[in-house]
Amino acid sequence: MATTMSTKTTRTTTVVTERSTGPGITKVKKVTQVTKVTSGEEGEQVRRKPSVIQQTLNVVTRSSEIPPGESIPEFDEKPNSATVQEGKEAIFKVKVTGSPKPTVTWKRGSGKPIKEGAKVFFDSITKDNVLKLDNITPDDEDAYKCIASNTHGDCIYTISLTVTESQDKQLNFRTMLKKRSAPAPKEEKKVPDEKEMWEILLKADKKDYEKICFEYGFTDFRGMLKRLKEMKKKVETEAVKVLKPLEDQEGKVDSTVTFETVMELKDPNTKMQWLKNGEPIRTQFSLGKFEIKQMGTKFMLSVKNLTQKDAGQYTLVVGDKKFNVQLNVRDDPLKFAVDLKPIKVVERQTGTFECRFTKKVPAVMWKFQGVEVKRDDKHDITVSEDGLTHTLKIKDVRPCDIGQYSISTGDQTSSSELHIDRLPIQFTSALKNVHVKEKGKARLECELSAKDVRIMWLKNGKEITRSPKYNMMREGRRVELTIDDAELDDCGEYTVVAMQDSDERQYTSSSTLTVQDRFATVKSGMSDAHPQTGQPAEFCVVLNDEKVDGVWLKDGKEITDSKAIQIVKQGAVHKLIINKVSDENEGKYTFRAKGAESEAILSIADPPTIDPDVLAVLAKDPITVKAGHTATIKIPFKGKPIPKVTWFKDGIEVFEDDRTEIEKSPTQTVLVLKHCVREDSGNITLKLKSDSGSTSANLQLNVIDKPKPPQGKLEFLEHTGKCIAMKWKAPRDNGGKQVTSFIIERKLVGKKSWIKVGEVDGNTTTFSTNKVEEGKAYQYRIRAVNTEGVSDPLDSEDVFAGDPIEAPGMPSQPQVTDVTKEAITITWTPPVQDGGAPVMGYIVERRKKGSNHWVPATKEPIQDNKFTADGLMEDVEYEFRVTAVNRAGVGQPSTASNSVVAKDPIRAPGMVKDIKVTDSTHSSISLAWDKPEVGDEPQGYILEMRAEDAKEWTKCSKIPITSTNYTVGGLQERGKYFFRIRAVNEGGVGEPTELNKGIYAMPPPASPRFLDARMPSSMVVRAGSALCINVGFSGSPSPSVIWLRDGTPTKGRETITKGPNMSQFLIPSAHRSDSGTYKIMLKNDYGEKFHDIRIRVADFPRPPTNLHLVEEVPNTVTLSWDHTPDNIEDGRVHYVIMKRDASTATWFTVTERVFGNKYTVTGLLPGRKYFFRVIARNDIGDSEPLDYKEPWLLARDKERFSLQIKQYKEKDWTHAPEFITPLKDHIIHRGYDCTMSCAITGNPRPHITWYKGKVLISENLKYWYTSSNGVCTLTIPSTEMKDADEYTIVAENSLGKVKSSCTLTMQEKGVTIIQNSVGENPRRSKHIM
């Protein structure tokens, strides 16, 4: 009896999203649970553990501030949970970005280690981090975590692996169940009907269809397959579930519309395609017209910059299903959507007029007071990217810019006024208090920040005008009031008042003038006096007041009038006269009067002098010193103050050094010269100088030494074979002593010893001698003699006695004319110089190569210029040289001949074999060849080449090539060259062998390839910065380079640079419209290569527009706004909602990461006014805020009133309280308001009680709570850390009681405080920010 199995499958899907408003934690969690239950006929159940498909994203940040250019890790491409059959392999791939570069690790959620043999690696081509598990078993079923970490945080993505049984095991399981059944008598199998057969086949593998049909005796196999295929299509059709259908759209010209649908696909890989009027939409060729997006189960098609051509039917094809919608485009008449509005601008700031049209206009005209305004340094005219908003900016606004501005296009005109708020006048330098003496001049001055102002002066609050007494001056921004001959009644407070046009305010600065009584002052003070001894001295002081007397002091003691000192007063002039100055009169003199004092110093100044007797002695006789001795010169002097002492020699100042010392004292100076030399002789001068005068002393120093050598060149008057006569000049310096004689010496040239040949007296400067040999060369020298010694010699040049005879010169290099194994014949030419005598013969010498020993080839000199050397050894290499001989002797030998081997002559080599090309580049060609097979062994090769357009052959190397290969360089790229080669040896040059065709200078053919194997596949560029892509490549011939953007050639603002092995794509300033997929294609005759790079250009988002507020639910405000224009271009844009109590200046963040354009703010306090703002945010930063200009007032609950109406019977609606919406946990930063809300229903109306922990807080004034229309709200204003706890609301009426609790978590600077229940201590945990 067959056993029938039934299978029941239950699938539960739960999606949980958790976001923390505090920094450091973000969670996104998706969980899918599948439970399979299989039961047998007898009620036995085989139950398998539920398999949970889980996808969770956790982000933990460590840094409170992330430096610019760095970021926490992010998953660009996330892994997906997988269901894998047992025995198969599972592969998880993920792409991670972040700076610094994150490290990626994999872990199991259960804590178990990942199975052995698992492969974890980084794919350098796709830039994926991969976890590969082979041969999956049920033990591998688990949650797997991918952890991306860097210094700023961790990003953890959790996915699940579900393992299903293999087909074989399922069959075995069926067999096992059959075996467990009670034995039954054999019966014929029941043939299932068609419906049961279809169910069996739908669950089986395709390869088992025929086997199953045969097993159950089903014969119509082909018909069954056809029907089965139709049933599968029906199942597949039901696999597409539409949650939100497509809707027809209508849009304005130049606007953007988006078709949206929400659907669940059983197979996420189902093919989808958008059509327009039946034609497929290709976004890569639409130039940004169409954009297709998918966000989870939401599928969108955006049509941008609408035109009438875009209207029509659009179709979404999902598998075999089609969904049609209609797009209508309307063209509204042109009008102002937003008119110009009056503006008031602070002076020197920028004023901005802005208006918006309902559609794009080709041109507009801005006017000021009826005159057209054009773009210049003063005015900036811009148009938004959508072409609807027009802006005029007036820079550096001045009063002359006040007036009416208008914008017009066609018959549409809008105008408005510009008003100015003048900058307040600043006193960059305010008035300062002034103190002057009576009859003095008082000056009050200040400096303003502006020039075009009006000035008024006040004294003690009353205006003063220009008069002889008051002089008012104004120069630029500087203002001055001068009072001449100030009187005591001029004291008071003076104020300067500044005013300007278009400004009713007055700007003032005040100061006080004080006039003091007059005291005497020194009009002309004393000067220091420096008289000579015995001369008179006078001090004089002039005061500004004749009536003021004074007293004279010397060194602090008062001086009285006497015969030696006179005190004189003549009006305002006071004098002190000293008749004869002496040493006792030196000192400090002081004159003191009322309010005046003057001081001076008297010091005697006698000029320096030297005793005349000393000067006479120095001038009479010179000071004589022998060379090497010390000369000491001492000179006494007088003078006060001590004079400056300076020594000179021949007019040049003498300074101290190793040989010179200068000693100084108040009465004398000493000059010491050590180790005197002859050059120290000369005129010595001493100069004494002070402020009082100067004097000097001269003397002569004579240092005696041996004489200098005789002067000039030794001149020969006669040099014959019998006599040599000469003359010279006396020494330039005789050493300070008269020359007594001259000594004459000579030597033979080439000898070292000198012989004295004569001596003459000091007045004779000539000498002759006949003791010479004809033809000999001599050298003479002369020495001068005085009483101190003998001078250095004056040497002569070589001189011959008569005509000179020299050895002959060097013959030419011997040349080999004939070689055999027994003899070698050489020839040479006579020397050019015979030395003055005929050549008598030649000496021939030979040596073995490498030896330094020369062997004569003959016993006697030979007369001929040719010689045959015999008796040689075969195969020995010899060298020869020749020396000429004349009457003077043997000359210089010739240079050695070329080495030659004693052997019979060598045959020239034959033709080179098999010349071929081994390699080539753009500038070189490499060749190789084989040695010739005939002739003697070659010693080298001569390689020649000829360009295609040349007729002459040129050698490739200066010397023969010794190897059988050679590389010819320096060639012209892609030039064609011909080559031939010849072998060479001592026997001659062989016949040439030529390549059969020309060779091009270029590398061997190769297909293109990229040099960088790790080229990026995506880039993010900030708008306004340069987009630069550098690519290196190779290929022969050099490939052509084509840059494509979204499948079409780039034609824009880019600059493309092409080199032999590189290409650069550069856009100096990238725009958002430059985003796309860029492809570089390399192509030559041997292949092609391409690489794609996804470029995303991002910028700070533009702000949202049109913020509207409405209070739909009491104590809540719903905000709605128009999306930022960047919402479509940048999918990462979201919004931040902020609020501000009108009584404070601090903005608080209500929520972040709002992706829609509507949000409801709760937790607002009745009776208070609030301001609201919306900010757009993306990866780059925040937009300008969109503020609601007016505060929003939340009305308090109205008082209840009773109404008596006629009673009537009604249905009993009473029921116990219950929570429609319970309380939720809250995480709040310290200092922010916390609002907890829940919804309750119940009849009678429940009584509400609030608890913190177990403490009743309903009556606590700190907490604000309301209950309206079933919504209960508790507000904790300005939360503190101690507010962290569990909060409970209890609702109770006569029919029952319910309660709901939540936990309040406080955060401050990375510290989170949580209290779960009453009685537990708060637990603190550190989160790394």
Side-chain angles (χ1 to χ4, degrees), residues 719 774-777 799-807 834-837 886-888:
H719 56 95
E774 185 177 2
K776 294 289 186 180
V799 62
F800 287 90
D803 295 330
I805 299 176
E806 299 177 350
D834 59 4
N886 70 358
R887 184 160 54 88

Side-chain angles (χ1 to χ4, degrees), residues 354-372:
E354 185 175 276
C355 71
R356 185 175 179 86
F357 291 94
T358 56
K359 59 187 293 185
K360 289 185 180 179
V361 293
V364 300
M365 179 181 293
W366 288 92
K367 291 184 179 180
F368 170 60
Q369 303 289 49
V371 179
E372 183 180 0

Side-chain angles (χ1 to χ4, degrees), residues 945-980:
M945 72 174 180
R946 175 176 63 82
E948 184 180 23
D949 55 352
K951 297 181 179 180
E952 300 295 331
W953 291 90
T954 59
K955 291 184 177 180
C956 298
S957 61
K958 295 182 179 180
I959 61 175
I961 302 167
T962 57
S963 63
T964 58
N965 56 75
Y966 188 74
T967 299
V968 182
L971 305 180
Q972 184 177 358
E973 184 176 355
R974 301 186 70 85
K976 187 176 183 181
Y977 295 89
F978 297 89
F979 294 91
R980 70 181 185 183

